[in-house]
């Protein structure tokens, strides 16, 4: 029973583009980009051990943690929210078999991710398999997978809905990756932040796997201290899951509306354009407040990355400016892309899949008000986040924001928001399912962020990757914002603005062609 359920869940996983992209494809893509940026030279003169020998293991650890903790928790919470777990609980299949099948599927997915990364490392990066430590490596990966699987069940047991699980599973995991020698390998963290990293299990698994694949070390490759921490976290997570796990969704909390709101009379007649737009903006902002994971990735994550990376590499410089200045421009650009490309595409495709757009077509609400509400919301969220980012950079890292920069900054944000909103509408027009739309937006935006001066990797990118970044608009938005923030002063980046404008006009033309063909058909 467990084997059949695990096989069913595994097939379901690989038929979900978004899950497969984040869990399997993303570690592979990050490996390729990091390898291109840092190179793969020998770590010592005369040695055949190369740099990627120490990158491949930590990427494999990230894949294991994402598959067994993040993806498992999100999928399990989604099944509970939709009532599938409750229906399965009412069948003759034992509860332990259902949970065992889910855990088995996460183990299979982790195995596929690790195997793919090791194969890429051996074939393309001359990664050496240390055969004497292979049994220890397998044991370590198995204990790590069991630990994060137990923590995935515990996360679902603790929180109420799938959105909160996604925030905990993906947001927390990504934050820990920065302080656990996974994304920033070998970075010198402040003492307190380094201590926090050692508390959680991700760093212990990363060190245990990396050391097991280190050909310079001797011994069997088993590290009892790291494995003990993983075991403690795994046992604690399993105990918490057994104690608090619920098969049905927790009842929603209802709050009675204030009497003044209930008695407020509705205006008569057809509303003007401004109230229509204001209503759509209020609706979109309410959706954002209720979606914790979207709010985290749009607003909180860029602030966290700015503060964390600027703290770790306080004296570094990038693109000719201090790193906090560069990170401020990069995180504003990141917010522009997420708010106006990823979020808008997800919202519109979700409304279409749930039949909301069809129902709106039968109401007096004009279509322009619906889309203008999304665009205005993305612009407001981006500006608010940019203000917070500027305050953190100014108060925490001494970045100077001159009053004359503000109008130019608003111009860059508006141009970038308009461009990526049009591209989001174009993706929705060509992709029919919400999961496909999410896979396309995330699968294009995140890789481009690594080659478009948004996510700092270190090292010079090869010509091919730099060319890819030059073609697409994300790098040009980033360069425009950086030109505004550069304290030394830079000429207005007319070429970058022209590229962003060209993408906007081309997207509008493509949308017009698509809509004309649909009306004709």
């Amino acid at each position: 029973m467990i084997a059949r359920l695990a096989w069913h869940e595994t097939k379901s996983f690989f038929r979900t583009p978004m899950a497969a992209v984040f869990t399997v494809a993303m570690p592979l893509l990050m490996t390729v980009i990091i390898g291109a940026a840092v190179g793969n030279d020998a770590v010592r003169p005369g040695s055949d051990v190369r740099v990627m020998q120490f990158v491949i293991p930590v990427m494999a650890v990230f894949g294991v943690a994402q598959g067994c903790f993040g993806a498992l928790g999100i999928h399990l919470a989604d099944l509970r929210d939709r009532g599938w777990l409750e229906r399965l609980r009412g069948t003759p299949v034992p509860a332990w078999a259902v949970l065992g099948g889910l855990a088995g599927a996460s183990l299979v997915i982790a195995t596929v991710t690790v195997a793919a990364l090791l194969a890429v490392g051996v074939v393309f990066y001359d990664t050496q398999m240390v055969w004497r430590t292979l049994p220890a490596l397998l044991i370590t990966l198995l204990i790590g997978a069991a630990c994060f699987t137990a923590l995935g069940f515990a996360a679902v047991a603790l929180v109420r809905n799938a959105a909160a699980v996604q925030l905990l599973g993906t947001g927390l995991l990504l934050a820990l990756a920065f302080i656990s020698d996974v994304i920033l390998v070998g970075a010198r963290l402040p003492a307190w932040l380094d201590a926090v990293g050692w508390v959680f299990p991700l760093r212990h698994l990363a060190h245990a796997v990396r050391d097991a694949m280190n050909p310079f070390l001797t011994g069997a490759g088993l590290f009892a201290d790291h494995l003990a921490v993983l075991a403690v976290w795994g046992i604690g997570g399993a105990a918490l899951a057994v104690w608090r796990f619920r098969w049905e969704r927790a009842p929603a909390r209802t709050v009675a509306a204030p009497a003044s709101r209930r008695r407020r009379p509705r205006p008569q007649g057809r509303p003007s354009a401004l109230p229509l737009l204001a209503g759509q903006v209020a609706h979109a902002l309410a959706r954002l407040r209720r979606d914790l994971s979207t709010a985290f990735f749009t607003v909180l994550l860029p602030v966290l990355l700015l503060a964390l990376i600027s703290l770790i590499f306080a004296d570094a410089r990038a693109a000719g400016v201090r790193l906090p200045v560069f990170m401020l421009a990069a995180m504003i650009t990141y917010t522009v892309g997420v708010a106006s490309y990823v979020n808008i595409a997800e919202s519109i495709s979700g409304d279409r899949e749930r039949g909301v757009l069809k129902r709106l077509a039968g109401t007096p609400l004009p279509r322009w008000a619906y889309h203008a509400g999304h665009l205005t919301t993305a612009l407001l969220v981006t500006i608010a986040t940019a203000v917070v980012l500027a305050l953190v950079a100014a108060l925490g890292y001494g970045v100077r924001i001159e009053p004359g920069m503000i109008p130019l900054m608003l111009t860059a944000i508006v141009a970038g928001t308009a461009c990526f909103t049009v591209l989001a509408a174009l993706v929705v027009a060509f992709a029919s399912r919400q999961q496909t739309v999410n896979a396309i937006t995330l699968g294009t935006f995140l890789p481009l962020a690594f080659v478009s001066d948004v996510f700092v990797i270190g090292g010079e990118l090869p010509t091919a990757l730099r060319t890819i970044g030059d073609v697409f608009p994300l790098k040009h938005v980033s360069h425009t914002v950086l030109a505004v923030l550069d304290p030394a002063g830079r000429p207005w980046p007319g070429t970058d603005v022209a590229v962003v404008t060209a993408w906007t006009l081309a997207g509008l033309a493509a949308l017009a062609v698509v809509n004309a063909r649909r009306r004709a058909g």
Side-chain angles (χ1 to χ4, degrees), residues 50 73 92 136 153 177 198 201-202 304 431 440 481:
R50 300 190 174 275
F153 281 107
W198 281 115
L202 186 60
L304 176 65
I440 292 174
V481 177

Side-chain angles (χ1 to χ4, degrees), residues 45-95:
S47 171
D48 58 351
V49 179
R50 300 190 174 275
V51 171
M52 294 301 288
Q53 181 79 28
F54 304 96
V55 174
I56 294 290
V58 295
M59 288 296 103
V61 166
F62 186 74
V64 169
Q66 177 61 27
C68 295
F69 177 65
L72 171 65
I74 294 169
H75 178 57
L76 186 60
D78 181 59
L79 292 179
R80 185 178 65 187
D81 281 7
R82 289 189 289 170
W84 289 14
L85 277 186
E86 190 173 5
R87 292 196 294 272
L88 283 172
R89 189 72 179 89
T91 66
V93 180

Side-chain angles (χ1 to χ4, degrees), residues 14-48:
F14 284 105
R15 289 171 179 170
T16 306
M18 185 176 177
V21 164
F22 263 106
T23 307
V24 181
M26 192 55 64
L28 286 170
L29 186 60
M30 290 176 62
T31 299
V32 173
I33 294 174
I34 291 174
V38 304
N40 195 30
D41 297 332
V43 296
R44 296 178 184 176
S47 171
D48 58 351

Side-chain angles (χ1 to χ4, degrees), residues 148-511:
F148 282 100
T149 298
L151 292 175
F153 281 107
V156 177
L158 278 176
V159 299
R160 295 169 56 88
N161 54 53
V165 172
Q166 185 175 4
L167 172 60
L168 185 64
T170 306
L172 177 62
L173 186 63
L174 187 61
L176 287 177
F178 277 92
I179 62 173
S180 299
D181 290 339
V182 173
I183 293 180
L184 302 177
V185 180
R188 292 186 177 180
L189 301 176
W192 66 270
L193 200 57
D194 186 64
V196 171
W198 281 115
V199 171
F200 292 93
L202 186 60
R203 177 181 284 190
H204 293 275
L205 182 58
H207 278 238
V209 173
R210 188 186 64 192
D211 291 346
M213 292 188 62
N214 187 346
F216 296 116
L217 298 180
T218 59
L222 275 177
F223 302 93
D225 50 350
H226 296 311
L227 297 183
V229 174
L230 293 173
V232 169
W233 273 95
I235 293 171
L240 182 59
V242 170
W243 175 44
R244 292 288 303 273
F245 190 80
R246 297 187 304 268
W247 290 83
E248 68 281 351
R249 182 177 183 176
R253 298 175 181 175
T254 58
V255 179
S260 58
R261 180 180 297 181
R262 293 198 302 267
R263 297 173 183 172
R264 182 181 302 169
R266 293 186 178 184
Q268 300 296 319
R270 187 180 182 87
S272 60
L274 188 58
L276 283 175
L277 179 60
Q280 292 302 303
V281 171
H283 173 68
L285 290 175
R287 290 175 62 171
L288 180 64
R289 289 196 305 269
R290 293 166 184 167
D291 189 345
L292 296 178
S293 61
T294 301
F296 173 83
F297 284 106
T298 308
V299 180
L300 297 180
L301 181 61
V303 177
L304 176 65
L305 291 179
L306 168 66
L308 189 60
I309 295 178
S310 299
L311 179 65
I312 295 172
F313 303 103
D315 300 326
R317 296 180 68 85
V321 298
R322 293 175 53 229
L323 186 61
V325 177
F326 177 86
M327 286 302 302
L328 176 58
M331 291 302 98
I332 291 175
T333 305
Y334 166 88
T335 307
V336 168
V338 172
S340 56
Y341 180 57
V342 178
N343 292 354
I344 287 182
E346 181 182 13
S347 297
I348 297 177
S349 60
D351 287 344
R352 182 181 61 188
E353 200 163 287
R354 293 190 300 271
V356 174
L357 293 185
K358 183 178 291 187
R359 293 195 295 273
L360 286 178
T363 68
L365 180 71
R367 184 59 62 91
W368 68 261
Y370 173 81
H371 292 291
H374 282 295
L375 172 61
T376 306
T377 301
L379 191 58
L380 292 176
V381 169
T382 302
I383 292 174
T385 307
V387 170
V388 176
L389 288 166
L391 288 174
V392 171
L395 299 178
Y397 304 100
V399 176
R400 294 187 61 183
I401 309 294
E402 302 292 342
M405 297 178 179
I406 297 176
L408 297 177
M409 178 63 63
L410 289 175
T411 302
I413 290 175
V414 170
T417 300
C419 176
F420 281 105
T421 300
V422 171
L423 295 179
L426 198 60
V427 171
V428 174
F430 280 99
S432 58
R433 299 178 61 223
Q434 183 183 13
Q435 288 184 345
T436 306
V437 169
N438 291 343
I440 292 174
T441 54
L442 292 171
T444 53
F445 178 75
L446 291 178
L448 285 176
F450 283 97
V451 299
S452 301
D453 296 337
V454 175
F455 289 161
V456 180
I457 301 175
E460 184 72 18
L461 290 173
T463 304
L465 292 181
R466 289 202 306 270
T467 302
I468 292 173
D470 291 336
V471 169
F472 291 93
L474 189 63
K475 177 186 284 189
H476 299 282
V477 175
S478 176
H479 285 185
T480 303
V481 177
L482 185 59
V484 174
L485 292 174
D486 190 350
R490 297 188 186 189
W492 177 249
T495 302
D496 295 308
V497 174
V499 172
V500 174
T501 305
W503 271 93
T504 306
L505 296 177
L508 288 172
L511 279 174

